Amino acid sequence: MKPFVFSLVFVLYISCKQEKKLNFPVETIENKVSVKHAKGFSIEKSASDITIVKITSPWPNAEASFVYALVPKEKLSFITLNKNEYDAIISVPVEKLVVTSTTHIPALESLGQLDKLVGFPKTELISSKAARKQIDNGAIKELGNNEIINTEVVLNLHPDVVIGFGVNAQNKAYETLQRSNIPVVYNGDWTEESPLGKAEWIKFFAPFFQQEVKADSIFNAIETSYKSTKKLAENAKTRPTVLTGGLYKDVWHVAGGKSWMAQFLEDAKADYLWGNTTETGGIAVSLETVLNRAKTADFWLNPSMLTTYEDMMQSNRHYSQFDAFQTKKVYSNTIAQGATGGLLFYELAPQRPDLVLKDLIHIFHPTLLPEHELLFFKPLE
């Protein structure tokens, strides 16, 4: 009798366990996470606490989109997902990850998750002091170049996820990792055209660590700071004219009128001389065209990678014809660097557009922010 009772109890136990196994269809969505400025991603929450992250802009003009399911670890064994519905399924919170762009570093640091980062391609590009300390003590491993990431090292690190960066869908290293059951999730923060749109990608990182509330708080503070700084700029008495870029192999690249840099200049109450163009990236123009339109520009930002007036003269003597050169009103965002040469602007500026805007207002309208210390844009020596 006892063996029979035991067998019956065991069968009932197994049956109960099996009944708890759930099927979660894609359409069972409880609510959407608020994403106000970013255009390249969306986040939805299911009634079963599953987070659906959709990336619609992994790279410029992308035709493909990617859908990822983030499942709490304690529920992973009780929920069955149709793997064909998702490009990756990740259990959260993530304990180890690899990221591939310096723009990802500030989000991890702000969320208090930098200690989860175990690998990065070309670590010398990282400016963050906290991250550099982890690199120096061996906690963050060097992975080579992003385009040909060292998959052997990544596999040995056993990350829960790799946050990928790509200019298209062709990346053999990512394919190798995916075949080895390491999820690769694309991040398209760099495709955003507005300053606050880029900053809002901190919300993309949050669900991987179950830190959504913290991310909302951080972004709301940045948004409030940006908007109040923009409002301060409305007190400007003048709108100085601005030129951007410099020559590279006899072609001058200026920022397009729909780029995030153009938006910064508009919000800082400057008259950007290419502000009426429709390009979201750079525009290639000739030296003659730039001289005709911008010779008398009041300010000049980012003359390629040049950081001194002597360097500019050595690079091209025609630079001296511009009024901004003669009046020493040329500023660069490549002077501020990390300990190993990483450019602070390209790492931190996407997350802190409010500080970028404060820099520009201090430069263009110094009486509005007289005490501000320049962080990203520095005057040439």
Side-chain angles (χ1 to χ4, degrees):
M1 188 67 178
K2 287 184 179 180
F4 173 80
V5 172
F6 175 80
S7 299
L8 180 61
V9 172
F10 180 77
V11 169
L12 290 173
Y13 173 76
I14 293 299
S15 299
C16 291
K17 293 288 285 185
Q18 290 176 339
E19 287 175 0
K20 289 182 180 179
K21 196 80 169 177
L22 304 175
N23 288 315
F24 174 69
V26 177
E27 62 270 15
T28 309
I29 298 299
E30 189 173 65
N31 60 71
K32 289 187 176 182
V33 173
S34 173
V35 179
K36 296 182 289 184
H37 303 276
K39 305 299 184 183
F41 78 100
S42 63
I43 300 176
E44 297 175 329
K45 294 283 189 178
S46 79
S48 303
D49 291 331
I50 293 177
T51 302
I52 308 299
V53 180
K54 185 174 184 179
I55 308 300
T56 54
S57 182
W59 47 79
N61 304 314
E63 296 181 359
S65 60
F66 297 87
V67 181
Y68 307 104
L70 279 56
V71 184
K73 289 182 178 179
E74 66 274 14
K75 296 188 176 183
L76 193 61
S77 61
F78 301 114
I79 295 176
T80 300
L81 293 174
N82 184 351
K83 293 184 178 181
N84 294 326
E85 299 283 355
Y86 307 100
D87 293 284
I89 298 172
I90 302 101
S91 63
V92 294
V94 165
E95 296 299 329
K96 295 195 299 182
L97 83 160
V98 165
V99 301
T100 53
S101 170
T102 56
T103 60
H104 305 163
I105 302 296
L108 298 182
E109 191 168 349
S110 297
L111 292 172
Q113 305 299 320
L114 194 59
D115 62 319
K116 307 297 193 305
L117 181 60
V118 296
F120 187 89
K122 298 198 74 171
T123 54
E124 70 269 19
L125 297 178
I126 296 177
S127 299
S128 162
K129 292 181 179 179
R132 292 237 56 87
K133 185 176 180 179
Q134 291 186 213
I135 293 168
D136 292 341
N137 65 26
I140 300 175
K141 303 297 184 183
E142 172 61 53
L143 302 179
N145 293 321
N146 183 49
E147 295 79 8
I148 48 174
I149 192 171
N150 190 323
T151 55
E152 184 177 348
V153 175
V154 176
L155 292 173
N156 288 334
L157 291 172
H158 303 291
D160 299 316
V161 65
V162 171
I163 305 298
F165 162 86
V167 295
N168 54 48
Q170 305 301 316
N171 191 310
K172 292 183 178 180
Y174 291 169
E175 293 172 6
T176 298
L177 295 176
Q178 289 169 323
R179 287 196 298 269
S180 300
N181 295 320
I182 294 180
V184 176
V185 175
Y186 279 102
N187 175 294
D189 57 3
W190 62 290
T191 67
E192 296 290 339
E193 298 168 11
S194 73
L196 287 175
K198 288 180 183 290
E200 199 164 21
W201 276 76
I202 191 172
K203 294 181 181 179
F204 159 88
F205 282 98
F208 290 93
F209 308 103
Q210 299 179 324
Q211 294 287 324
E212 290 91 335
V213 173
K214 188 172 184 178
D216 283 345
S217 177
I218 292 169
F219 177 74
N220 289 340
I222 293 169
E223 181 186 38
T224 299
S225 176
Y226 190 92
K227 289 182 175 180
S228 64
T229 304
K230 178 181 175 181
K231 187 173 182 61
L232 176 65
E234 295 175 0
N235 297 314
K237 305 299 183 186
T238 61
R239 287 179 68 102
T241 53
V242 179
L243 163 68
T244 64
L247 287 167
Y248 178 74
K249 294 184 178 180
D250 297 325
V251 177
W252 195 300
H253 296 271
V254 299
K258 297 300 182 182
S259 65
W260 78 312
M261 180 54 67
Q263 186 64 60
F264 276 127
L265 297 174
E266 175 63 28
D267 292 346
K269 290 297 179 283
D271 181 11
Y272 178 44
L273 296 175
W274 273 264
N276 62 347
T277 59
T278 58
E279 286 83 356
T280 58
I283 305 173
V285 293
S286 66
L287 172 62
E288 292 75 15
T289 298
V290 178
L291 272 169
N292 288 335
R293 183 179 295 190
K295 181 180 182 299
T296 60
D298 298 310
F299 292 92
W300 181 354
L301 300 180
N302 308 329
S304 301
M305 296 292 290
L306 304 172
T307 58
T308 71
Y309 289 98
E310 180 61 30
D311 288 342
M312 292 184 71
M313 283 298 295
Q314 293 293 329
S315 176
N316 194 301
R317 59 184 178 82
H318 292 295
Y319 283 153
S320 63
Q321 297 182 53
F322 291 88
D323 288 2
F325 180 97
Q326 296 171 13
T327 58
K328 299 296 188 288
K329 290 185 178 179
V330 184
Y331 292 78
S332 174
N333 61 10
T334 64
I335 296 174
Q337 299 183 3
T340 54
L343 301 180
L344 182 64
F345 181 83
Y346 294 104
E347 179 175 319
L348 183 58
Q351 186 178 317
R352 293 305 307 270
D354 55 321
L355 299 181
V356 176
L357 189 58
K358 288 180 179 180
D359 269 11
L360 295 174
I361 291 174
H362 178 80
I363 291 169
F364 302 146
H365 315 290
T367 59
L368 297 181
L369 283 174
E371 303 300 322
H372 177 72
E373 293 186 9
L374 295 175
L375 177 62
F376 298 112
F377 290 93
K378 306 286 187 179
L380 267 63
E381 296 178 357

